[in-house]
Amino acid sequence: MNLKVTGLHLEVTPALREFLESKLERITRHVDHVIDVTVTLSVDKLVQKAEVNVHLSGKDIHVEATDSDMYAAIDALMDKLDRQVLKHKEKQSEHRATPQVQPEASL
């Protein structure tokens, strides 16, 4: 998994990067094929905004969240991303063929 973290009008500190990496572990537990993750953190006046683009095999997911605190915005972002990834995983598993159950022969 390639992780790219950028900050617009703010410096990405090692604490923020570590917090993001720990939260992204939750996503990688659900899906094995995470190819690329791009996180953009920005500040506009009093609004802290976090955006993420996740490139999975067969799907690109974009999620964004805003809050007055950057850590709270990242938490909300990861909750939204987790729901989207689980939704994508369920759709993938629904398209697979279900095995036909053969009736057992009575003795």
Side-chain angles (χ1 to χ4, degrees):
M1 174 179 77
N2 295 329
L3 175 63
K4 181 181 177 186
V5 180
T6 58
L8 298 175
H9 305 293
L10 101 136
E11 182 180 342
V12 179
T13 62
L16 270 175
R17 178 178 281 280
E18 184 178 317
F19 186 71
L20 276 168
E21 289 173 356
S22 67
K23 291 292 183 175
L24 281 171
E25 287 177 11
R26 188 168 79 180
I27 304 305
T28 57
R29 277 187 277 156
H30 296 301
V31 176
D32 297 332
H33 306 294
V34 177
I35 298 168
D36 187 36
V37 178
T38 304
V39 180
T40 305
L41 306 173
S42 63
V43 176
D44 186 30
K45 294 188 181 179
L46 298 176
V47 179
Q48 313 283 327
K49 184 175 182 182
E51 299 177 44
V52 68
N53 289 319
V54 178
H55 181 69
L56 302 172
S57 59
K59 178 84 172 174
D60 288 333
I61 299 175
H62 174 79
V63 181
E64 57 186 54
T66 59
D67 205 312
S68 60
D69 180 36
M70 184 58 77
Y71 289 96
I74 293 171
D75 279 335
L77 176 82
M78 291 303 158
D79 289 340
K80 290 180 182 181
L81 182 62
D82 193 33
R83 285 193 300 268
Q84 290 292 322
V85 166
L86 286 175
K87 185 177 176 181
H88 171 67
K89 186 177 177 183
E90 287 175 13
K91 283 185 179 181
Q92 273 189 330
S93 64
E94 287 176 3
H95 289 295
R96 296 188 181 181
T98 57
Q100 297 283 335
V101 177
Q102 298 293 329
E104 294 182 24
S106 59
L107 297 173

